[in-house]
Amino acid sequence: MTPSAAMSTPPKNMSLIPGGTFWMGSEDFYPEERPVHQVSVDSFWMDTTAVTVAEFRRFVKATGHVTTAESAPDPADYPDADPALLVPGSLVFHSPPGPVSLDDYTQWWTFTPGADWRHPEGPSSNVGGREKHPVTHVSYFDAQAFAQWAGKELPTEAEWEYAARGGLDRKAYVWGDEDSPGGKPGGNVWQGQFPWENLLEDGYERTAPVGKFRPNGYGLLDMAGNVWEWTADHYTSDHAHSTKNLAPATSCCIPRNPRAELATETAAGESYPLRVIKGGSHLCAPNYCLRYRPAARQSESEESSTCHVGFRCVVRIPQE
């Protein structure tokens, strides 16, 4: 099948990302985004929005899938953990009443027994009325299971960043170089002093329904903020290295469809390998986490689940 043939039958609720070459990374913000380097990706389809609660519910109903957050951790994976914490649950954000040290994330993150995709704030909460919000409290394994069921895959970091840029190569944000275009938030991110002062200028305290902000140049929605999104790549501190190409390099030796390899050892203190998450979330704020930018990247342990991480999928177009 040629790329043009695949493009003639667009998958439902997906946007075509035309292949091309771009400058990946940034020299202007966090060290892990360096060095800036050219990368080439082939054309592919990407979910126009993050996977929603309603879509994930259909997957669970069809397969009986039990998420990581709904399963008790294996004590062997956490030999030093408090047994009281080895129960089904997930991380939930709680805003402190006033300023706190930004060096102590325990001031706003709490492991909450009973928190999962159906109960985002804990067992007394539910997702009623949030069917169009991105699903959260999903681990890498949950996202991968959904993608396989849907006949899709998780994007590589290069695919995700290229798609997020929407054709605006080397720009700081999805929408250009200005943080708040026209003085208005370009996505569901934190306004005010994190983690205690949320001015709600974007209208949302937590996640927003998908598609409430303007699309990027490829028609993708919410590529900045709302929820972090899983990628298929293993995390490395220097994303220009420790990669393999999923296709032969271009004639000018620019990496084509690169994907990060698994490090020889899991990071110190981690029971599971780290994966790259992209896009930032509604908890990203300039005073703490200016990561709602295409080049921004963060590590997340594969089994981890939180109230601000979701995902979207891709379908790769076969190349001749």
Side-chain angles (χ1 to χ4, degrees):
M1 180 185 295
T2 65
S4 58
M7 293 176 194
S8 65
T9 54
K12 184 179 180 182
N13 299 325
M14 301 191 84
S15 299
L16 175 64
I17 313 301
T21 300
F22 75 109
W23 290 95
M24 187 174 181
S26 172
E27 299 284 354
D28 301 326
F29 296 92
Y30 299 106
E32 67 272 11
E33 299 170 21
R34 305 169 191 156
V36 175
H37 58 293
Q38 280 192 297
V39 169
S40 174
V41 297
D42 295 334
S43 300
F44 60 96
W45 295 95
M46 178 175 256
D47 288 342
T48 303
T49 72
V51 172
T52 64
V53 168
E55 291 170 324
F56 197 80
R57 179 185 288 143
R58 287 196 290 272
F59 155 65
V60 170
K61 185 177 181 180
T63 64
H65 180 81
V66 177
T67 63
T68 302
E70 296 171 285
S71 307
D74 185 346
D77 291 336
Y78 306 94
D80 300 323
D82 180 350
L85 298 178
L86 296 178
V87 297
S90 190
L91 287 172
V92 176
F93 173 83
H94 296 281
S95 184
V100 295
S101 171
L102 296 180
D103 295 328
D104 183 7
Y105 65 87
T106 64
Q107 295 294 313
W108 56 88
W109 281 116
T110 303
F111 177 78
T112 304
D116 55 46
W117 72 272
R118 293 184 179 90
H119 309 95
E121 288 78 57
S124 63
S125 66
N126 60 65
V127 289
R130 286 189 265 186
E131 290 80 7
K132 293 185 178 181
H133 286 236
V135 68
T136 56
H137 295 290
V138 285
S139 69
Y140 170 81
F141 305 118
D142 301 323
Q144 189 180 48
F146 177 98
Q148 184 175 8
W149 170 77
K152 302 178 181 181
E153 299 178 82
L154 295 180
T156 65
E157 181 179 3
E159 288 171 333
W160 198 101
E161 183 170 333
Y162 177 75
R165 292 185 178 278
L168 298 180
D169 202 13
R170 307 198 81 164
K171 297 295 184 181
Y173 300 95
V174 169
W175 46 79
D177 282 327
E178 185 181 357
D179 186 4
S180 300
K184 298 180 180 180
N188 180 18
V189 298
W190 188 284
Q191 297 88 43
Q193 295 298 305
F194 182 86
W196 62 277
E197 179 193 47
N198 191 345
L199 300 177
L200 302 179
E201 293 173 357
D202 56 15
Y204 301 99
E205 181 180 5
R206 298 188 181 94
T207 59
V210 298
K212 289 297 182 179
F213 298 87
R214 66 183 182 182
N216 74 355
Y218 293 149
L220 299 171
L221 296 160
D222 305 315
M223 297 298 278
N226 217 12
V227 293
W228 285 97
E229 298 182 9
W230 288 105
T231 75
D233 280 21
H234 291 281
Y235 181 83
T236 59
S237 58
D238 179 348
H239 66 156
H241 297 91
S242 301
T243 62
K244 67 177 180 180
N245 292 338
L246 300 185
T250 62
S251 57
C252 52
C253 300
I254 296 173
R256 180 182 171 194
N257 301 330
R259 179 169 178 173
E261 293 273 12
L262 175 63
T264 55
E265 294 183 0
T266 304
E270 294 286 345
S271 300
Y272 291 85
L274 301 176
R275 299 278 175 169
V276 177
I277 55 174
K278 298 282 282 185
S281 78
H282 60 285
L283 299 180
C284 280
N287 76 306
Y288 177 67
C289 173
L290 189 58
R291 287 188 168 90
Y292 48 92
R293 298 170 293 101
R297 56 202 299 269
Q298 190 161 288
S299 65
E300 194 79 7
S301 183
E302 290 179 336
E303 92 292 3
S304 177
S305 63
T306 76
C307 64
H308 73 331
V309 175
F311 67 101
R312 73 180 73 204
C313 304
V314 299
V315 171
R316 298 189 176 95
I317 299 173
Q319 303 293 310
E320 286 189 328

